[in-house]
Amino acid sequence: MKVVWGEKDLYINKEMGKEFAERLQVELTVLRGMGHFPHLQNPMLAIDEVRAAFR
């Protein structure tokens, strides 16, 4: 499992993503310049992150 978070998420602070990843003991990837909807803001980047989680 992997947690992917938008750096500029206006709805949920990225520190909560960090805490979530730490509790699960999984990797956290913070997407620079992305907000709450990275799959809409940069679909290819979101796809690459999802695919990377399966490698």
Side-chain angles (χ1 to χ4, degrees):
M1 185 189 293
K2 179 180 188 176
V3 175
V4 178
W5 215 268
E7 175 187 42
K8 297 183 178 186
D9 190 327
L10 298 176
Y11 300 106
I12 306 172
N13 188 300
K14 70 179 175 185
E15 292 303 315
M16 292 178 74
K18 180 180 177 185
E19 179 184 343
F20 183 55
E22 287 173 356
R23 287 181 182 226
L24 295 176
Q25 298 179 345
V26 298
E27 178 184 354
L28 168 67
T29 299
V30 177
L31 302 178
R32 292 183 189 172
M34 297 293 107
H36 190 73
F37 302 104
H39 63 290
L40 298 176
Q41 294 169 297
N42 189 334
M44 290 311 299
L45 180 59
I47 289 167
D48 288 345
E49 288 300 327
V50 170
R51 286 182 176 157
F54 289 97
R55 291 187 202 130

